Amino acid sequence: QVRVVESGGGLVQPGGSLRLSCTASGSISMLLAMSWYRQAPGNERELVATRNVLGDTNYADFVKGRFTISTISADNTVHLQMNSLKPEDTAVYYCKSRIGASDYWGQGTQVTVST
């Protein structure tokens, strides 16, 4: 059984920063990548950033230059540093772990950017 847990969400003013964390635990045989997605009310879930175990990254255009996904640590933790936050970044942020041929999702953490 695999468990994925996110943390670090909250309320921040426009222009502010937040750091999200995600840890995968349990029966992890072959971790390949960890990704962050987000879903705003009424919208589909969309990819924010991905880091694989080789160190490669992929970012959505709307976060390039503002968000940074960390390397995956030995305890299967990845962080998402979010700077210059905008109101349109408001969403539930989900972490996905690619382990072997399966994807495991966390429950999500709410990020709200507002005055």
Side-chain angles (χ1 to χ4, degrees):
Q1 193 76 345
V2 175
R3 186 173 182 227
V4 177
V5 179
E6 306 99 334
S7 63
L11 173 64
V12 64
Q13 292 188 345
S17 298
L18 278 177
R19 185 175 185 245
L20 306 183
S21 299
C22 171
T23 299
S25 61
S27 300
I28 299 176
S29 57
M30 188 166 58
L31 178 66
L32 298 177
M34 297 183 77
S35 304
W36 287 97
Y37 287 72
R38 70 185 189 186
Q39 186 167 18
N43 291 355
E44 294 186 353
R45 193 171 296 189
E46 58 186 359
L47 176 67
V48 175
T50 296
R51 169 82 73 170
N52 68 22
V53 294
L54 299 178
D56 302 317
T57 59
N58 183 44
Y59 291 94
D61 286 344
F62 53 77
V63 301
K64 284 182 180 177
R66 300 190 298 127
F67 292 9
T68 303
I69 188 167
S70 72
T71 56
I72 302 171
S73 68
D75 64 349
N76 303 319
T77 295
V78 72
H79 305 285
L80 183 69
Q81 178 66 42
M82 306 186 295
N83 299 327
S84 302
L85 282 161
K86 307 174 182 180
E88 51 264 44
D89 293 318
T90 295
V92 178
Y93 284 70
Y94 296 91
C95 179
K96 184 186 79 172
S97 296
R98 178 77 171 179
I99 300 170
S102 301
D103 291 326
Y104 297 87
W105 292 87
Q107 293 298 306
T109 184
Q110 176 70 46
V111 171
T112 302
V113 185
S114 175
T115 56

